[in-house]
Amino acid sequence: MLSGVPVIYGIDPFSAETTPNHQLGSIGVTADGRKYRYARAGTSALVAGDLLQSPAEATDSQSLIVAASVIGSKTVTTTDTTTVTANEFANGYLIVTGEGGTGTGHMYRIRSHPAATAAVVTITLYDAIEVALSASTQIDLVANPYEGVIQWPATQTGSPVGVAVTAVAASSYSWIQTGGASATLTTGTVAVGTNVAAATGTAGAVETATAGLPTVGYALTGVATGEVGAIYLIID
């Protein structure tokens, strides 16, 4: 398996596999410049043309107080209890939030952690601690946005990460499109040249952008409501 976050040219965007061929989040580019990210589907299959969301936000793994940790350490142990499955946040991020203690503003990539049920948990990091953490430091645990992607729900629980370009079985790995001309489900009539955002109230779709959710692209053609149309994605 490749390490780092490579840019892979000439990819087959319609490939899907049960064993990963690349690191999650790897960037893929086709010959015409369309951009993709390597992702794993969640517990439901992905449908071609659907806008996708990152895993649902885990609010019970935020604002956790940790034990003191010295510069150079690659482990952080919470003193607050939480409930997590084993490696739920692997390849995601530990963010020092600034709600108390030291080390504010630093982010560390998570290597692994055990399961915990209403218990403290020790997080093992890829990166060494740069600024010592005190016993009042608070952290957020954030999942890798490309681990367990799901159809954009009618009521958002995460952030838009890409568009499915082929049918992908649950828990399988594939490329999802993040940039360039795409075939994307829309809701409401979308006029050519208008910005589009993740839809509010319609799963898997984009709609004409208004104040609120982030813009994910713009229409290359006019698209009738409920149809898949030509959307130029600007997520990446």
Side-chain angles (χ1 to χ4, degrees):
M1 184 186 300
L2 296 173
S3 61
V5 183
V7 178
I8 305 164
Y9 294 93
I11 67 165
D12 174 7
F14 304 111
S15 63
E17 46 270 340
T18 56
T19 301
N21 288 328
H22 310 288
Q23 181 171 284
L24 288 177
S26 293
I27 300 169
V29 183
T30 54
D32 60 347
R34 286 173 291 163
K35 296 179 181 178
Y36 300 79
R37 292 278 188 160
Y38 197 67
R40 186 182 187 187
T43 56
S44 297
L46 306 183
V47 176
D50 274 2
L51 183 68
L52 304 175
Q53 181 198 269
S54 59
E57 179 185 24
T59 56
D60 60 345
S61 295
Q62 297 175 357
S63 299
L64 299 174
I65 298 174
V66 299
S69 187
V70 299
I71 293 172
S73 174
K74 289 191 175 182
T75 61
V76 175
T77 300
T78 67
T79 53
D80 278 340
T81 61
T82 188
T83 298
V84 295
T85 58
N87 292 324
E88 178 179 347
F89 295 97
N91 297 307
Y93 306 98
L94 182 155
I95 296 176
V96 185
T97 62
E99 297 175 75
T102 57
T104 297
H106 286 74
M107 181 172 76
Y108 303 99
R109 186 172 170 225
I110 297 170
R111 180 184 291 273
S112 64
H113 62 80
T117 302
V120 301
V121 63
T122 296
I123 310 297
T124 301
L125 308 173
Y126 285 98
D127 316 297
I129 296 296
E130 291 289 328
V131 176
L133 307 181
S134 66
S136 57
T137 295
Q138 293 190 38
I139 64 166
D140 285 356
L141 301 178
V142 181
N144 185 303
Y146 305 107
E147 172 61 74
V149 299
I150 61 173
Q151 180 192 59
W152 178 262
T155 301
Q156 75 170 119
T157 56
S159 297
V161 290
V163 169
V165 297
T166 190
V168 178
S171 301
S172 292
Y173 297 84
S174 70
W175 295 100
I176 62 173
Q177 190 171 355
T178 59
S182 75
T184 302
L185 178 66
T186 67
T187 185
T189 301
V190 176
V192 62
T194 57
N195 290 339
V196 296
T200 55
T202 302
V206 300
E207 63 187 5
T208 301
T210 56
L213 294 175
T215 298
V216 298
Y218 53 85
L220 290 175
T221 65
V223 188
T225 186
E227 292 187 356
V228 172
I231 303 296
Y232 194 98
L233 297 174
I234 57 171
I235 298 171
D236 266 341

